[in-house]
């Protein structure tokens, strides 16, 4: 399977659907052009030091390699944004989450995230402003 390398490819996929899993967030976008599906990996510094980030990337690459060709939708790009649980989750569960996530993220009914930001019930009342001076 090919990998995404350019920032513009990652940004294009970010405009598609997204779906959260225990160990990662899956972003997916259906392509118009023919070709093999492509996958990109994002592991931020929030997940740990460089050793941990490298281990997470290796585990995600191995999970993608463990999938059958029939499990991966064709003509699509995917980005896996890793979470901390990618290190501790058993490998079979990681592969199962990936298998279910790749097909669901391309479904048009999959929401891209929350529609509106959450607000507490108190925020509907105006808060008094303090005078600066």
């Amino acid at each position: 399977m090919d990998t995404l390398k350019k920032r513009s490819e990652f940004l294009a996929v970010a405009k598609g659907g997204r779906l959260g899993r225990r160990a990662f967030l899956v972003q997916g976008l259906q392509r118009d052009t023919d070709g093999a599906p492509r996958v990109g990996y994002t592991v931020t510094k929030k997940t740990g030091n460089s050793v941990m980030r490298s281990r997470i990337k290796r585990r995600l690459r191995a999970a993608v390699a463990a999938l059958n060709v029939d499990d991966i939708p064709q003509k699509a790009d995917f980005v896996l944004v890793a979470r901390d649980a990618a290190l501790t989750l058993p490998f079979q569960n990681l592969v199962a989450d990936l298998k279910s996530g790749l097909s669901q993220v391309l479904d048009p009914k999959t929401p891209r995230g929350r529609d509106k930001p959450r607000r507490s019930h108190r925020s509907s009342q105006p808060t008094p402003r303090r005078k600066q001076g």
Side-chain angles (χ1 to χ4, degrees), residues 17-88:
R18 80 177 55 148
L19 186 66
R21 292 291 182 221
R22 289 176 283 192
F24 50 84
L25 174 89
V26 182
Q27 296 175 335
L29 182 67
Q30 194 74 37
R31 281 193 329 243
D32 296 332
T33 60
D34 289 335
R38 300 183 299 177
V39 177
Y41 305 94
T42 301
V43 185
T44 64
K45 286 188 176 184
K46 282 194 259 182
T47 56
N49 61 16
S50 63
V51 174
M52 292 174 70
R53 292 193 306 266
S54 295
R55 287 184 65 206
I56 290 171
K57 279 188 272 189
R58 284 195 303 269
R59 283 195 69 162
L60 290 177
R61 282 190 208 120
V64 170
L67 293 175
N68 294 331
V69 177
D70 300 337
D71 297 336
I72 304 167
Q74 300 298 311
K75 296 186 193 177
D77 291 339
F78 302 99
V79 173
L80 301 178
V81 182
R83 294 182 176 161
D84 292 335
L87 269 181
T88 57

Side-chain angles (χ1 to χ4, degrees), residues 117-127:
R118 289 190 224 171
R119 295 184 177 236
S120 65
H121 63 281
R122 293 186 310 170
S123 64
S124 61
Q125 302 169 354
T127 56

Side-chain angles (χ1 to χ4, degrees), residues 82-110:
R83 294 182 176 161
D84 292 335
L87 269 181
T88 57
L89 192 69
F91 188 73
Q92 296 302 326
N93 294 353
L94 189 68
V95 172
D97 281 352
L98 183 60
K99 183 178 178 180
S100 67
L102 290 182
S103 59
Q104 287 180 5
V105 75
L106 295 178
D107 186 13
K109 297 174 188 171
T110 302

